[in-house]
Amino acid sequence: MLRAVVTGNVWSTKRIDGLPNGAFLEVEVEGGGSRLVAFDVLGSGVGETVLVAQGSVAAAWFPGTPPPVDALVIGSIDSPPASS
């Protein structure tokens, strides 16, 4: 899993069949600065810290034949980590 911050929405006027209702979000991985597009069914917003699953774990969440989704927002982090 990756800890990331939602940096924006990715707008798409067409989608493949089989995707549930949700949104494509651009997220920036904390600590590395890399960005990726993740599918979100939770309703996360810009600035929110989220957990992202990748690869087969993300695809396996979908019922039936998994769509080609490589990153899925699976949780919202409510508080920052404790400082050491």
Side-chain angles (χ1 to χ4, degrees):
M1 282 187 289
L2 301 172
R3 182 182 173 114
V5 175
V6 178
T7 57
N9 294 302
V10 177
W11 300 104
S12 173
T13 56
K14 296 182 181 181
R15 294 181 180 215
I16 61 169
D17 291 335
L19 278 179
N21 290 334
F24 292 104
L25 300 176
E26 182 177 31
V27 298
E28 184 172 336
V29 178
E30 288 189 351
S34 62
R35 291 182 178 224
L36 56 105
V37 175
F39 190 72
D40 174 49
V41 295
L42 303 177
S44 304
V46 173
E48 191 169 344
T49 303
V50 295
L51 289 175
V52 178
Q54 289 186 286
S56 61
V57 173
W61 178 82
F62 297 93
T65 303
V69 170
D70 187 48
L72 177 68
V73 175
I74 61 168
S76 175
I77 299 174
D78 295 328
S79 61
S83 57
S84 48

